[in-house]
Amino acid sequence: MKVSGLTVVGCGALNWDCLYRVGQLVTDGESVVEESFEAPGGSAANTVYALSHWGVRAGFIGAVGDDAEGRQIIADFERVGVDTQRLRVVKGQRTGRVIGLVDSKGRRSLYVQPGANLALRLTEDDVAYAAKVALVHLSSLVGDEAFESQKEFALNLPKGVTLSVAPGMLYARRGLKALSPLLRRATVLFLTREELALLTGTENLEAAAQQLWGLGVDILVVTLGEQGSWVGSKGKGRFSPSVQAQCRGHDRGRRCLCGRFFCGAF
């Protein structure tokens, strides 16, 4: 298995994002679609794509369907140099899909069709592939079996491999007890403020951070939307201003590399 030169490996859902900017998010009502956009997506996938675009040697472990969207995701990775040897193409399955609604204030409503992601089971070969890099970055998968497989994969990584985790709302809903083995292994944890409160049971940022530091998480990053982010380590944290105005540029055919669904570059 050739992985010479890789620095980062990502693992998580591979989705085809169908994104719509709307005037407002509604319940039992109507709203106008002002703009639409389709592109490859997935939290860890977007991270690995951006890193590779900026010159970091990266690979990805995941699953797509045997359809046009799956082929486009693979081609999109390969175009920026992402190693795709550990991607599975699941016969007879559609690639995962996310329907996303984004309003004028940047609030989101996401609906996931996991598709081929449900079939992903991580193996000893995946561990061996990731064991030779400096950092592994995980994001969530749908389904109990996929979650347990990913958790076992993380726990079998050598101690010398740094693990970062972006659990998202899907894993945050599982609660602190279910995620504890994964969090104890993680060096860096990325959460939104809503995910942090859901996971820890408190909206007090400092109190929630203390819980996670107590589990062994070293660095906690909490995103706060337009307010920027909060970064803490070893009992101390600080706020960082928003960097949305410093977008590093849009790579057409995919969401903006600044990470937002829609920005001034789109």
Side-chain angles (χ1 to χ4, degrees), residues 67-257:
D67 52 15
E69 289 83 358
R71 290 188 290 274
Q72 181 59 47
I73 287 172
I74 294 173
D76 199 54
F77 269 154
E78 291 178 343
R79 181 168 59 87
V80 292
V82 175
D83 185 86
T84 60
Q85 66 174 285
R86 298 307 300 169
L87 293 190
R88 284 76 148 165
V89 177
V90 184
K91 300 297 182 182
Q93 289 288 331
R94 288 188 60 181
T95 297
R97 182 175 293 257
V98 171
I99 307 299
L101 307 178
V102 188
D103 72 5
S104 59
K105 295 182 179 179
R107 294 174 298 192
R108 307 181 304 173
S109 180
L110 304 179
Y111 303 87
V112 181
Q113 295 176 304
N117 292 300
L118 287 172
L120 183 62
R121 299 292 180 270
L122 301 171
T123 67
E124 292 182 359
D125 285 342
D126 293 315
V127 174
Y129 175 76
K132 300 177 183 179
V133 302
L135 185 143
V136 171
H137 180 61
L138 302 184
S139 62
S140 62
L141 294 164
V142 173
D144 291 341
E145 291 185 45
F147 169 66
E148 292 299 329
S149 175
Q150 193 180 52
K151 186 166 63 175
E152 184 177 356
F153 163 80
L155 296 179
N156 283 324
L157 292 173
K159 291 183 179 180
V161 175
T162 297
L163 178 69
S164 66
V165 181
M169 195 62 76
L170 290 177
Y171 278 7
R173 287 196 186 104
R174 291 179 175 270
L176 205 55
K177 183 177 180 181
L179 259 64
S180 286
L182 191 58
L183 300 181
R184 291 182 192 279
R185 176 61 180 82
T187 298
V188 187
L189 180 64
F190 295 92
L191 295 165
T192 67
R193 189 158 203 162
E194 293 76 18
E195 292 161 1
L196 181 71
L198 182 62
L199 185 61
T200 62
T202 177
E203 295 185 358
N204 183 295
L205 199 156
E206 295 283 353
Q210 291 294 342
Q211 287 190 50
L212 297 171
W213 287 327
L215 285 175
V217 172
D218 187 16
I219 301 170
L220 174 64
V221 181
V222 183
T223 57
L224 305 170
E226 293 182 353
Q227 296 177 321
S229 60
W230 183 94
V231 182
S233 178
K234 302 184 185 303
K236 295 182 180 180
R238 63 180 178 85
F239 287 92
S240 298
S242 173
V243 295
Q244 289 186 358
Q246 303 172 23
C247 170
R248 295 186 66 174
H250 181 61
D251 183 0
R252 296 196 176 278
R254 198 176 184 95
R255 76 174 59 174
C256 179
L257 294 176

Side-chain angles (χ1 to χ4, degrees), residues 24 29 43 179 232:
Q24 61 180 328
S43 177
L179 259 64

